[in-house]
Amino acid sequence: MRNIRAIAVKVPMTYVLGTSQEALREAPLLLVDLETNEGVTGHAYQFCYVPAAAAAIVVMLEEVLRTVKGDAVEPTVLWEKINRRFVLMGVQGVVRMALAMFDVAAWDALARAAGVSLATLLGAAPRPIPAYNSCGLGLKNPAAVADEAEKLLAGGFKAVKLRLGYPTLDADLAAVRAVRARIPADIALMVDYNQALMVEEAIRRGRALDGEGVYWMEEPIRHDDYAECAGIARAITTPVQIGENFSLPRDMERALAAQSSDYVMPDLERIGGVTGWRHAAGLAAARGIRMSSHLYPEVSAHLLAVTPTVHWLEYVDWANAVLEEPLRIADGNAVPSSRPGNGLAWNEDAVRRFRMN
């Protein structure tokens, strides 16, 4: 380990992401480079949610570097070391963001040094992964979401995700029916409430959605109320999906023990990078529960290739503008890069153009 560099960029989104919480028009990203003494550089990027988080993550990365500088690139060993360094502060929030992206970059450097793809390093050849288009489809009028849903099928996608959480159930149903009427019957339609509902309302809306051809109902209530999530899953027939807010594998263990959902979808950063993902994949396999990804499609495509209960990859194009080689979609599948590493490389001209001041 020689150095860690990070550059913050703000990239315009192709589609506005209007959730029950807020509308996002730009993606603030932190591009992370991990440099080794051998001249191998590993890459990762962090979706920061708000631009102000980037500077805080950089400070944490500086402390990570002070902790591991000069160490061999052994990601699982390094994770334990930096986890101990931050244990009194707590490995949450910007601390976890920094640790997870460091872990992703370390695994990338290791794969690059070995001259193989990340998937291959982890034990499986890169292969196409079924993907759903999660760009856009925010809270707007039914005709607008139906128009957008049609556009999102470009590239052969066989599934799209619609945000719900309108003020009324009738408005939710109007959006679902507008999209369902516009897209082919064989296209899967996921819906995401982004934690917008209380328990009774979640059951009421879930039962109303049961006859609407919805593939899964995502995060209807507060993400960490595992007992109530389990009750909702029992009360409705539409499968319940949670997991993007699992903070490290221990949260996933609790959720699985409570039988909180029919499916799980860890987030690469929140679950603890590649090291955390591998643990999570083992937990899902032990329970026989299907596991999808949340964001970070470029790296997640490699990780899903080695996930025994692989389900869906969530596709977003937010980083495409600053990537040398964006993730390829073919016939509705994400095709992981087969070149050494996780496939991330920066388009330096674009990085300069979108760099935050």
Side-chain angles (χ1 to χ4, degrees), residues 105-290:
W107 279 103
D108 184 41
L110 201 61
R112 288 171 185 263
V116 298
S117 71
L118 177 60
T120 302
L121 182 72
L122 297 176
R127 60 185 175 86
I129 304 294
Y132 67 89
N133 199 335
S134 195
C135 297
L137 287 189
L139 301 181
K140 54 180 79 173
N141 70 71
V145 290
D147 289 344
E148 199 163 271
E150 277 192 314
K151 295 176 184 176
L152 294 182
L153 297 181
F157 283 99
K158 304 297 192 301
V160 294
K161 187 160 80 178
L162 174 67
R163 276 75 190 175
L164 294 182
Y166 291 88
T168 66
L169 169 59
D170 285 345
D172 277 352
L173 292 175
V176 169
R177 289 167 181 171
V179 172
R180 190 74 272 177
R182 190 72 67 86
I183 63 178
D186 62 345
I187 300 298
L189 176 61
M190 295 82 166
V191 302
D192 186 356
Y193 275 96
N194 294 107
Q195 310 178 67
L197 307 175
M198 301 300 286
V199 175
E200 289 185 2
E201 184 65 8
I203 293 173
R204 186 173 82 95
R205 296 199 189 195
R207 286 173 172 165
L209 291 171
D210 281 343
E212 300 294 333
V214 169
Y215 191 89
W216 74 46
M217 180 183 182
E218 186 175 328
E219 286 206 325
I221 65 168
R222 177 174 160 166
H223 70 88
D224 57 353
D225 193 340
Y226 300 136
E228 294 291 9
C229 284
I232 295 167
R234 290 192 299 269
I236 68 177
T237 58
T238 300
V240 171
Q241 171 73 280
I242 68 170
E244 69 183 70
N245 284 295
F246 290 156
S247 183
L248 307 177
R250 63 174 177 265
D251 270 5
M252 185 163 159
E253 287 184 274
R254 295 187 189 111
L256 291 174
Q259 298 182 314
S260 297
S261 62
D262 300 281
Y263 307 133
V264 290
M265 54 179 302
D267 175 278
L268 174 64
E269 175 268 306
R270 289 172 175 154
I271 204 66
V274 175
T275 298
W277 181 283
R278 296 175 78 199
H279 187 177
L283 295 174
R287 293 273 182 170
I289 189 167
R290 304 293 297 278

Side-chain angles (χ1 to χ4, degrees), residues 292-326:
S292 299
S293 63
H294 178 254
L295 305 185
Y296 308 100
E298 302 82 9
V299 181
S300 296
H302 287 270
L303 299 179
L304 286 169
V306 298
T307 298
T309 57
V310 56
H311 200 188
W312 290 91
L313 176 138
E314 180 179 39
Y315 176 78
V316 292
D317 62 0
W318 303 345
N320 282 11
V322 292
L323 294 181
E324 200 174 83
E325 182 184 312

